[in-house]
Structures are given as structure tokens and as C-alpha cells.
Amino acid sequence: MRNDEFDIVEQMVKVDADKRFGPKVTDHFHNPRNYGKPETYDCSTYVTGMCGDTVGFFITVNGDRIERVGYETDGCGPTVACASVLSDMAEGKTLSEVAAMKPQDLLDELGTDLPVENSHCADLAVNALKAALEKLKV
Ligand code: FES
């Protein structure tokens, strides 16, 4: 396939994904923010969802405020997007503000309800973030 043909096919796939998941999901999937395990962090954990996919969060705190959030996942595109947006949402918030976050807050930030077969992806990301913060108390 020539490069221009490949570009056209790639654009068609992107338009289809934008329609299915919403443009913010596809943007964060293709350009995940804060991805990766930092060298240092204060707490972390991995959580595996009902689909078998796993998300791990690595959190640095400063007092009662979240300073930095990294993550890694072997999950689907919507899960990458959920973890990416959630990492942006959590940075700068207090521990109690993050403890009160719900999957719907993440979906509101994404600007979409994910397809029903992916609705658990937001649950997994939020549950994993909160589970990592629980490790601060251990
Ligand atoms: Fe498994 Fe998204 S987390 S399908």
C-alpha cells in the first residue's frame, strides 16, 4: 500500500473511532498523557478488571495533594484514554477530592458515555486510582 493510501485508510479508521468513542477518547488513546511508571512515587497498585485487563497507577503526593500520576495498562484503547484523562483530572486535587471521584465524573470529562461493552473501562481506571491511594494508608 502506498503512503497516501495508508494515510486515507488511517483517517477513515480515526473518523470511525471518533464516532464510536468520541474525539477525546481517540485523542487520549493516540496521545496518552502521563503514561508510564515514574522512577519514584509514594504509592501504587495494579487492578485487574472483569475483562482481564489490568491498570496500574503510580502516585506522588505532597501533603494531602496529588502532585503526579503515572500509569500503565495492557487494556483496550478506551482504558488507555480513561487512565490518561483521569491522571490529568487527579493531579492537583486533594486526596479526599479523588476519593470522592466516581466513574461518571470521568465519563463527563471524556464528554461521552462509552459503548456499553466498554463502560467497565471507566470503572477500572477509577477503581485502580483509588486502590493505589489506599496504599498510602498501609
Ligand atoms: Fe478491558 Fe477496556 S478494560 S476492555
Side-chain angles (χ1 to χ4, degrees), residues 51-53 75-76 78-79 117-118 120-121 124:
C51 60
D53 294 338
C76 63
T79 296
E117 66 271 21
N118 292 104
H120 68 277
C121 308
L124 175 59

